[in-house]
Amino acid sequence: MRSTSSRRLFAASLLVASVLAPLAAAPATAGPVPAAGVAGAAVRLTGDDGHGQDDCPSGGFSRKTTARLDKAIEKVRRETGVPGVAVGLWMPGKGCYVRASGVADKATGQPMTTDLYTRIGSETKTFTVTALLKLVDDGLIRLDDPISRYIDGVPKGRRITLRHLAEMRSGLYPYTADADFQHDLLSDPSRSFTPREVLAYGYKHKNTFAPGKEFQYSNTNLILLGLVIEKISGKCAADFIDEQVLRPSHLEHTLFPSGAEFPEPHPRGYTNQTLSGKVEDATDWNPSWGWTAGAMISNMHDLRRWAKIVATGELLSPETQKQRLRTLPTGYPGTSYGLGIFKSGGWIGHNGSIPGYESVTVYLPSKKATLVVQLNTDITQNGVEPSSPIARAITEIVTPNNVYDRPVPPR
């Protein structure tokens, strides 16, 4: 669902973000990016992680399938003006496809590669909610506890539960949709925001509906869950997520930055979410405003591991994972949302969007397949987030019965 304001609203956005995220479309001002061709070959990722490193036969998919994927990804990349894209696809018994195309840096022409760190935006939510659910498993909190039990000052907080927050049904106004927040951030993208500061932008507005009545994607929800984690654990959210989620999952290349730090190597990231609407380099913008809703960084290797871990509930009890995957309608056919996770065409996971970067990390249980997509832009084309058509094009080829973000058939 998109509003009609003149600028697309900031959000570490959602899944099929072109339809569901509370954003407004802005004209993309970037011109076409010169093609850099397809870099590298379909290669195997190896390691001792136990997550399918031997599932890909030598040579990956057939030449025909690989050629179809190359062509489809490059077609969408050119049509959407994406500078660079990295794709990892692993399907046990079928093969794997790990390739990058385009450029990581438009100024130098440095090619995009598959070993880069990127900002993962709203994929952060899967880590935050997993940390919260660890507290549930430990008996320290309950999903149906009201947020007022832990955090003061939340509008209608006695009626809003932790479950409502995690499943995007709280009715709390998204702080990223507040005009003052947008102006303050875009005026100084290096600024550091505290969780309480960003919540204050949202609290100026009335709640949009009664808790549990509707689905509305709102980063306000995940900031509050981050505060709950800190309140109960007695640790900062980044440290708790590191100790309880990242380390047990052996994610050595995933981090929660305290500011604008960004490990090398990483691509430059390009956005038109600017005061002028012109395209700018957002690589070093401070993501603190996204905090537990959208500030994290990762790479393809870790996201591959994480896709299966979060979708199958390896860190959680079976009952808690069952509750997590109890998804509810979003208003978009084929896509439902659970506790910080979505299902789209059978694929389970999340996507992410933050100025300069987009990503998709999903797992298909029926095929034990994993898909990771990383882009170095968030600029929309005709109101569509570029990560969605790329992931859709891939799944139309390899899992035609399970298409990510399948378009609604015309009436």
Side-chain angles (χ1 to χ4, degrees), residues 20-36:
L20 297 178
L23 306 177
T29 56
V33 179

Side-chain angles (χ1 to χ4, degrees), residues 34-39 74 77-78 100-102:
V38 177
E74 189 64 5
R77 187 183 74 80
R78 289 171 179 265
S101 66

Side-chain angles (χ1 to χ4, degrees), residues 212-230:
K213 295 296 184 182
E214 298 178 29
F215 173 92
Q216 181 187 36
Y217 195 76
S218 174
N219 287 322
T220 301
N221 297 326
L222 268 290
I223 299 298
L224 286 169
L225 293 182
L227 291 176
V228 171
I229 289 170
E230 294 195 330

